[in-house]
CSV table of all heavy atoms in Angstrom, one decimal:
chain,number,residue,atom,x,y,z
A,71,ASN,N,12.0,41.3,34.4
A,71,ASN,CA,11.3,40.0,34.3
A,71,ASN,C,12.0,39.0,35.2
A,71,ASN,O,11.4,38.0,35.6
A,71,ASN,CB,11.3,39.5,32.9
A,71,ASN,CG,10.4,40.3,32.0
A,71,ASN,OD1,10.9,41.2,31.3
A,71,ASN,ND2,9.1,40.0,32.0
A,111,GLU,N,3.2,42.0,38.2
A,111,GLU,CA,3.0,41.4,36.9
A,111,GLU,C,2.0,40.3,37.1
A,111,GLU,O,2.3,39.3,37.9
A,111,GLU,CB,4.4,40.8,36.4
A,111,GLU,CG,4.2,40.1,35.0
A,111,GLU,CD,5.5,39.6,34.5
A,111,GLU,OE1,6.6,40.0,35.0
A,111,GLU,OE2,5.5,38.8,33.5
A,112,ALA,N,0.9,40.3,36.4
A,112,ALA,CA,-0.2,39.5,36.7
A,112,ALA,C,-0.1,38.1,36.1
A,112,ALA,O,-0.7,37.1,36.6
A,112,ALA,CB,-1.5,40.1,36.2
A,113,LEU,N,0.7,37.9,35.1
A,113,LEU,CA,0.8,36.6,34.4
A,113,LEU,C,1.1,35.4,35.3
A,113,LEU,O,0.5,34.4,35.2
A,113,LEU,CB,1.8,36.7,33.3
A,113,LEU,CG,2.0,35.4,32.4
A,113,LEU,CD1,0.7,35.0,31.7
A,113,LEU,CD2,3.1,35.5,31.4
A,114,PRO,N,2.0,35.6,36.3
A,114,PRO,CA,2.2,34.4,37.2
A,114,PRO,C,1.0,34.0,38.1
A,114,PRO,O,1.1,32.9,38.7
A,114,PRO,CB,3.4,35.0,38.2
A,114,PRO,CG,4.1,36.0,37.3
A,114,PRO,CD,3.0,36.6,36.5
A,116,VAL,N,-1.4,32.5,37.1
A,116,VAL,CA,-1.8,31.2,36.5
A,116,VAL,C,-1.3,30.1,37.4
A,116,VAL,O,-1.8,29.0,37.4
A,116,VAL,CB,-1.4,31.1,35.1
A,116,VAL,CG1,0.1,30.9,35.0
A,116,VAL,CG2,-2.1,30.0,34.4
A,176,ALA,N,-3.4,43.7,25.8
A,176,ALA,CA,-2.7,42.4,25.4
A,176,ALA,C,-3.6,41.6,24.5
A,176,ALA,O,-3.2,41.0,23.5
A,176,ALA,CB,-2.4,41.6,26.7
A,177,ASN,N,-4.9,41.6,24.7
A,177,ASN,CA,-5.9,40.9,23.9
A,177,ASN,C,-5.9,41.5,22.5
A,177,ASN,O,-6.0,40.8,21.5
A,177,ASN,CB,-7.3,40.9,24.5
A,177,ASN,CG,-7.3,39.9,25.7
A,177,ASN,OD1,-6.6,38.9,25.8
A,177,ASN,ND2,-8.3,40.2,26.6
A,179,PHE,N,-3.5,43.1,21.0
A,179,PHE,CA,-2.3,42.8,20.3
A,179,PHE,C,-2.4,41.4,19.7
A,179,PHE,O,-2.0,41.1,18.6
A,179,PHE,CB,-1.1,42.9,21.2
A,179,PHE,CG,0.2,42.4,20.6
A,179,PHE,CD1,0.9,43.3,19.8
A,179,PHE,CD2,0.7,41.2,20.8
A,179,PHE,CE1,2.1,42.9,19.3
A,179,PHE,CE2,1.8,40.7,20.3
A,179,PHE,CZ,2.6,41.6,19.5
A,180,ASN,N,-2.9,40.4,20.6
A,180,ASN,CA,-3.0,39.0,20.2
A,180,ASN,C,-4.0,38.8,19.1
A,180,ASN,O,-3.8,37.9,18.2
A,180,ASN,CB,-3.3,38.2,21.4
A,180,ASN,CG,-2.2,38.0,22.4
A,180,ASN,OD1,-1.0,38.3,22.0
A,180,ASN,ND2,-2.5,37.7,23.6
A,183,HIS,N,-2.1,40.5,15.7
A,183,HIS,CA,-0.7,40.2,15.2
A,183,HIS,C,-0.4,38.7,15.6
A,183,HIS,O,-0.9,38.2,16.5
A,183,HIS,CB,0.3,41.1,16.0
A,183,HIS,CG,0.1,42.5,15.8
A,183,HIS,ND1,0.5,43.2,14.6
A,183,HIS,CD2,-0.4,43.5,16.6
A,183,HIS,CE1,0.2,44.5,14.7
A,183,HIS,NE2,-0.4,44.7,15.9
A,184,ARG,N,0.5,38.2,14.7
A,184,ARG,CA,1.1,36.9,15.0
A,184,ARG,C,0.1,35.8,15.3
A,184,ARG,O,-0.3,35.5,16.4
A,184,ARG,CB,2.0,37.0,16.2
A,184,ARG,CG,3.2,37.9,16.0
A,184,ARG,CD,4.0,38.1,17.3
A,184,ARG,NE,5.1,38.9,17.1
A,184,ARG,CZ,5.9,39.4,18.1
A,184,ARG,NH1,5.5,39.1,19.4
A,184,ARG,NH2,6.9,40.1,17.9
A,185,PRO,N,-0.4,35.1,14.2
A,185,PRO,CA,-1.2,33.9,14.4
A,185,PRO,C,-0.5,32.9,15.4
A,185,PRO,O,0.7,32.7,15.4
A,185,PRO,CB,-1.3,33.3,13.0
A,185,PRO,CG,-1.0,34.4,12.1
A,185,PRO,CD,-0.1,35.3,12.8
A,186,TYR,N,-1.3,32.3,16.3
A,186,TYR,CA,-0.8,31.7,17.5
A,186,TYR,C,-0.2,30.2,17.2
A,186,TYR,O,0.6,29.7,18.0
A,186,TYR,CB,-1.8,31.6,18.6
A,186,TYR,CG,-1.2,31.1,19.9
A,186,TYR,CD1,-0.3,31.9,20.6
A,186,TYR,CD2,-1.5,29.9,20.4
A,186,TYR,CE1,0.3,31.5,21.7
A,186,TYR,CE2,-1.0,29.4,21.6
A,186,TYR,CZ,-0.1,30.2,22.2
A,186,TYR,OH,0.5,29.8,23.4
A,187,GLY,N,-0.7,29.6,16.1
A,187,GLY,CA,-0.3,28.2,15.9
A,187,GLY,C,1.1,27.9,16.0
A,187,GLY,O,1.6,26.9,16.6
A,188,MET,N,2.0,28.8,15.5
A,188,MET,CA,3.4,28.6,15.5
A,188,MET,C,4.0,28.6,16.9
A,188,MET,O,5.1,28.0,17.1
A,188,MET,CB,4.1,29.6,14.6
A,188,MET,CG,3.9,31.1,15.1
A,188,MET,SD,4.7,32.3,14.1
A,188,MET,CE,6.4,32.0,14.4
A,189,TRP,N,3.3,29.3,17.8
A,189,TRP,CA,3.9,29.4,19.1
A,189,TRP,C,3.6,28.2,20.0
A,189,TRP,O,4.3,28.1,21.1
A,189,TRP,CB,3.3,30.7,19.8
A,189,TRP,CG,3.8,31.9,19.1
A,189,TRP,CD1,3.1,32.7,18.2
A,189,TRP,CD2,5.1,32.5,19.1
A,189,TRP,NE1,3.8,33.7,17.7
A,189,TRP,CE2,5.1,33.6,18.3
A,189,TRP,CE3,6.3,32.2,19.8
A,189,TRP,CZ2,6.2,34.4,18.1
A,189,TRP,CZ3,7.4,33.0,19.6
A,189,TRP,CH2,7.3,34.1,18.8
A,190,LEU,N,2.8,27.3,19.6
A,190,LEU,CA,2.5,26.1,20.5
A,190,LEU,C,3.7,25.3,20.7
A,190,LEU,O,4.0,24.9,21.9
A,190,LEU,CB,1.4,25.3,19.8
A,190,LEU,CG,0.0,25.8,19.9
A,190,LEU,CD1,-0.9,25.0,19.0
A,190,LEU,CD2,-0.5,25.8,21.3
A,191,SER,N,4.5,25.1,19.7
A,191,SER,CA,5.8,24.4,19.9
A,191,SER,C,6.9,25.3,20.3
A,191,SER,O,7.8,24.9,21.1
A,191,SER,CB,6.1,23.6,18.6
A,191,SER,OG,6.3,24.6,17.5
A,192,ARG,N,7.0,26.5,19.8
A,192,ARG,CA,8.1,27.4,20.1
A,192,ARG,C,8.1,27.8,21.6
A,192,ARG,O,9.1,28.0,22.1
A,192,ARG,CB,8.0,28.6,19.2
A,192,ARG,CG,8.3,28.3,17.7
A,192,ARG,CD,8.5,29.6,16.9
A,192,ARG,NE,8.7,29.2,15.5
A,192,ARG,CZ,9.1,30.1,14.6
A,192,ARG,NH1,9.3,31.3,14.9
A,192,ARG,NH2,9.3,29.7,13.3
A,193,ASN,N,6.9,28.0,22.2
A,193,ASN,CA,6.8,28.3,23.6
A,193,ASN,C,7.6,27.3,24.4
A,193,ASN,O,8.3,27.6,25.4
A,193,ASN,CB,5.4,28.4,24.0
A,193,ASN,CG,4.8,29.8,23.8
A,193,ASN,OD1,5.6,30.8,23.7
A,193,ASN,ND2,3.5,29.9,23.7
A,194,LEU,N,7.4,26.0,24.1
A,194,LEU,CA,8.0,25.0,24.9
A,194,LEU,C,9.5,25.0,24.6
A,194,LEU,O,10.3,24.7,25.6
A,194,LEU,CB,7.4,23.6,24.5
A,194,LEU,CG,5.9,23.4,24.7
A,194,LEU,CD1,5.5,22.0,24.2
A,194,LEU,CD2,5.6,23.7,26.1
A,196,TYR,N,11.3,27.7,24.0
A,196,TYR,CA,11.8,28.9,24.7
A,196,TYR,C,11.7,28.7,26.2
A,196,TYR,O,12.6,29.2,26.9
A,196,TYR,CB,11.0,30.1,24.3
A,196,TYR,CG,11.2,30.5,22.9
A,196,TYR,CD1,10.2,31.1,22.1
A,196,TYR,CD2,12.4,30.2,22.2
A,196,TYR,CE1,10.4,31.5,20.8
A,196,TYR,CE2,12.6,30.6,20.9
A,196,TYR,CZ,11.6,31.2,20.2
A,196,TYR,OH,11.8,31.6,18.9
A,197,LEU,N,10.8,27.9,26.7
A,197,LEU,CA,10.8,27.5,28.1
A,197,LEU,C,12.0,26.7,28.5
A,197,LEU,O,12.7,27.0,29.5
A,197,LEU,CB,9.5,26.7,28.5
A,197,LEU,CG,9.6,26.1,29.9
A,197,LEU,CD1,9.5,27.2,30.9
A,197,LEU,CD2,8.5,25.1,30.1
A,200,ALA,N,14.9,28.9,28.8
A,200,ALA,CA,14.8,29.7,30.1
A,200,ALA,C,15.2,28.8,31.3
A,200,ALA,O,15.9,29.2,32.2
A,200,ALA,CB,13.5,30.3,30.2
A,235,VAL,N,0.0,23.9,34.6
A,235,VAL,CA,0.1,25.4,34.4
A,235,VAL,C,0.7,25.7,33.0
A,235,VAL,O,0.3,26.5,32.2
A,235,VAL,CB,0.8,26.1,35.5
A,235,VAL,CG1,1.1,27.5,35.2
A,235,VAL,CG2,0.1,26.0,36.8
A,236,LEU,N,1.8,24.9,32.8
A,236,LEU,CA,2.5,25.1,31.5
A,236,LEU,C,1.6,24.8,30.3
A,236,LEU,O,1.6,25.5,29.3
A,236,LEU,CB,3.8,24.2,31.5
A,236,LEU,CG,4.5,24.1,30.2
A,236,LEU,CD1,5.1,25.5,29.8
A,236,LEU,CD2,5.7,23.1,30.3
A,237,ALA,N,0.8,23.7,30.4
A,237,ALA,CA,-0.1,23.4,29.3
A,237,ALA,C,-1.1,24.4,29.1
A,237,ALA,O,-1.5,24.8,28.0
A,237,ALA,CB,-0.7,22.0,29.6
A,238,VAL,N,-1.7,24.9,30.2
A,238,VAL,CA,-2.7,26.0,30.2
A,238,VAL,C,-2.1,27.2,29.5
A,238,VAL,O,-2.8,27.8,28.6
A,238,VAL,CB,-3.2,26.3,31.6
A,238,VAL,CG1,-4.1,27.6,31.5
A,238,VAL,CG2,-4.1,25.2,32.1
A,239,LEU,N,-1.0,27.7,29.9
A,239,LEU,CA,-0.4,28.9,29.3
A,239,LEU,C,-0.1,28.7,27.8
A,239,LEU,O,-0.3,29.6,27.0
A,239,LEU,CB,0.9,29.2,30.0
A,239,LEU,CG,0.8,30.1,31.3
A,239,LEU,CD1,2.2,30.2,32.0
A,239,LEU,CD2,0.2,31.4,31.0
A,240,ASP,N,0.4,27.5,27.5
A,240,ASP,CA,0.8,27.2,26.1
A,240,ASP,C,-0.4,27.2,25.2
A,240,ASP,O,-0.4,27.7,24.0
A,240,ASP,CB,1.6,25.9,26.0
A,240,ASP,CG,2.2,25.8,24.6
A,240,ASP,OD1,2.7,26.8,24.0
A,240,ASP,OD2,2.3,24.6,24.1
A,241,LEU,N,-1.5,26.6,25.7
A,241,LEU,CA,-2.7,26.5,24.9
A,241,LEU,C,-3.6,27.8,24.9
A,241,LEU,O,-4.5,28.0,24.1
A,241,LEU,CB,-3.6,25.3,25.3
A,241,LEU,CG,-2.9,23.9,25.2
A,241,LEU,CD1,-3.7,22.9,25.8
A,241,LEU,CD2,-2.6,23.6,23.7
A,242,TRP,N,-3.4,28.6,25.9
A,242,TRP,CA,-4.2,29.8,26.2
A,242,TRP,C,-4.0,30.8,25.1
A,242,TRP,O,-4.9,31.6,24.7
A,242,TRP,CB,-3.9,30.3,27.5
A,242,TRP,CG,-5.0,31.3,28.1
A,242,TRP,CD1,-6.1,31.8,27.4
A,242,TRP,CD2,-5.0,31.8,29.4
A,242,TRP,NE1,-6.8,32.6,28.3
A,242,TRP,CE2,-6.2,32.6,29.5
A,242,TRP,CE3,-4.2,31.7,30.5
A,242,TRP,CZ2,-6.5,33.3,30.6
A,242,TRP,CZ3,-4.5,32.4,31.7
A,242,TRP,CH2,-5.7,33.1,31.7
A,243,GLY,N,-2.8,30.9,24.6
A,243,GLY,CA,-2.5,31.9,23.5
A,243,GLY,C,-2.0,33.2,24.0
A,243,GLY,O,-2.1,34.2,23.3
A,244,ILE,N,-1.5,33.3,25.3
A,244,ILE,CA,-1.1,34.6,25.8
A,244,ILE,C,0.4,34.8,25.4
A,244,ILE,O,0.7,35.9,24.9
A,244,ILE,CB,-1.2,34.6,27.4
A,244,ILE,CG1,-2.7,34.5,27.8
A,244,ILE,CG2,-0.6,35.8,27.9
A,244,ILE,CD1,-2.9,34.4,29.3
A,245,ASN,N,1.2,33.9,25.6
A,245,ASN,CA,2.7,34.1,25.4
A,245,ASN,C,2.9,33.9,23.9
A,245,ASN,O,2.8,32.8,23.3
A,245,ASN,CB,3.5,33.1,26.2
A,245,ASN,CG,3.7,33.6,27.6
A,245,ASN,OD1,3.3,34.6,28.0
A,245,ASN,ND2,4.5,32.8,28.3
A,246,ARG,N,3.3,35.0,23.2
A,246,ARG,CA,3.7,34.9,21.8
A,246,ARG,C,4.8,36.0,21.6
A,246,ARG,O,4.5,37.2,21.6
A,246,ARG,CB,2.5,35.1,20.9
A,246,ARG,CG,1.7,36.3,21.1
A,246,ARG,CD,0.5,36.4,20.1
A,246,ARG,NE,-0.5,35.5,20.6
A,246,ARG,CZ,-1.6,35.1,19.8
A,246,ARG,NH1,-1.6,35.5,18.6
A,246,ARG,NH2,-2.5,34.4,20.3
A,247,GLY,N,6.0,35.6,21.4
A,247,GLY,CA,7.0,36.6,21.1
A,247,GLY,C,7.7,37.0,22.4
A,247,GLY,O,7.1,37.1,23.5
A,248,GLU,N,9.0,37.1,22.4
A,248,GLU,CA,9.9,37.4,23.5
A,248,GLU,C,9.6,36.5,24.7
A,248,GLU,O,9.6,36.8,25.9
A,248,GLU,CB,9.6,38.9,24.0
A,248,GLU,CG,9.9,39.9,22.9
A,248,GLU,CD,9.7,41.3,23.4
A,248,GLU,OE1,9.2,41.5,24.6
A,248,GLU,OE2,10.0,42.2,22.7
A,249,THR,N,9.3,35.2,24.4
A,249,THR,CA,8.8,34.3,25.4
A,249,THR,C,9.9,33.7,26.3
A,249,THR,O,9.6,33.1,27.3
A,249,THR,CB,8.0,33.2,24.8
A,249,THR,OG1,8.7,32.6,23.7
A,249,THR,CG2,6.7,33.7,24.2
A,250,VAL,N,11.2,33.9,26.0
A,250,VAL,CA,12.2,33.4,26.9
A,250,VAL,C,12.1,34.1,28.2
A,250,VAL,O,12.1,33.6,29.3
A,250,VAL,CB,13.6,33.5,26.3
A,250,VAL,CG1,14.7,33.1,27.3
A,250,VAL,CG2,13.7,32.6,25.0
A,251,ARG,N,12.0,35.5,28.1
A,251,ARG,CA,11.9,36.3,29.3
A,251,ARG,C,10.6,36.1,30.0
A,251,ARG,O,10.5,36.2,31.2
A,251,ARG,CB,12.3,37.7,29.1
A,251,ARG,CG,11.2,38.5,28.2
A,251,ARG,CD,11.6,39.9,28.0
A,251,ARG,NE,10.7,40.6,27.2
A,251,ARG,CZ,9.6,41.2,27.6
A,251,ARG,NH1,9.3,41.1,28.9
A,251,ARG,NH2,8.7,41.8,26.8
A,252,LEU,N,9.5,35.9,29.2
A,252,LEU,CA,8.2,35.8,29.9
A,252,LEU,C,8.0,34.4,30.6
A,252,LEU,O,7.1,34.3,31.4
A,252,LEU,CB,7.1,35.9,28.8
A,252,LEU,CG,7.0,37.3,28.1
A,252,LEU,CD1,5.9,37.3,27.1
A,252,LEU,CD2,6.8,38.4,29.2
A,253,TRP,N,8.9,33.5,30.2
A,253,TRP,CA,8.8,32.1,30.9
A,253,TRP,C,9.6,32.1,32.2
A,253,TRP,O,9.7,31.0,32.8
A,253,TRP,CB,9.2,31.0,29.9
A,253,TRP,CG,8.2,30.7,28.9
A,253,TRP,CD1,8.4,30.7,27.5
A,253,TRP,CD2,6.9,30.1,29.1
A,253,TRP,NE1,7.3,30.3,26.9
A,253,TRP,CE2,6.4,29.9,27.8
A,253,TRP,CE3,6.2,29.7,30.2
A,253,TRP,CZ2,5.1,29.3,27.7
A,253,TRP,CZ3,4.9,29.2,30.1
A,253,TRP,CH2,4.4,29.0,28.8
A,254,ILE,N,10.3,33.1,32.6
A,254,ILE,CA,11.2,33.0,33.7
A,254,ILE,C,10.6,32.6,34.9
A,254,ILE,O,11.1,31.7,35.7
A,254,ILE,CB,11.9,34.4,33.9
A,254,ILE,CG1,12.9,34.7,32.8
A,254,ILE,CG2,12.6,34.4,35.3
A,254,ILE,CD1,13.6,36.0,32.8
A,255,PHE,N,9.3,33.0,35.2
A,255,PHE,CA,8.7,32.6,36.5
A,255,PHE,C,8.4,31.1,36.5
A,255,PHE,O,8.5,30.5,37.5
A,255,PHE,CB,7.4,33.5,36.7
A,255,PHE,CG,6.2,33.0,35.9
A,255,PHE,CD1,5.3,32.2,36.4
A,255,PHE,CD2,6.1,33.5,34.6
A,255,PHE,CE1,4.2,31.8,35.6
A,255,PHE,CE2,5.0,33.2,33.8
A,255,PHE,CZ,4.0,32.3,34.4
A,256,MET,N,8.1,30.6,35.3
A,256,MET,CA,7.9,29.1,35.3
A,256,MET,C,9.2,28.4,35.3
A,256,MET,O,9.3,27.3,35.9
A,256,MET,CB,7.1,28.8,34.0
A,256,MET,CG,5.6,29.1,34.0
A,256,MET,SD,4.7,28.1,35.2
A,256,MET,CE,5.1,26.4,34.7
A,257,ALA,N,10.2,29.0,34.7
A,257,ALA,CA,11.5,28.3,34.6
A,257,ALA,C,12.1,28.1,36.0
A,257,ALA,O,12.7,27.1,36.4
A,257,ALA,CB,12.5,29.1,33.8
Side-chain angles (χ1 to χ4, degrees):
N71 290 98
E111 182 178 344
L113 182 61
V116 73
N177 287 333
F179 175 84
N180 287 341
H183 303 282
R184 296 173 176 169
Y186 189 67
M188 62 181 288
W189 294 102
L190 285 171
S191 59
R192 293 191 181 189
N193 274 337
L194 300 180
Y196 293 149
L197 171 69
V235 170
L236 173 60
V238 168
L239 275 176
D240 193 33
L241 296 174
W242 198 352
I244 295 177
N245 277 2
R246 56 180 79 194
E248 300 183 355
T249 50
V250 175
R251 67 180 179 85
L252 295 180
W253 283 119
I254 288 174
F255 77 96
M256 284 297 299

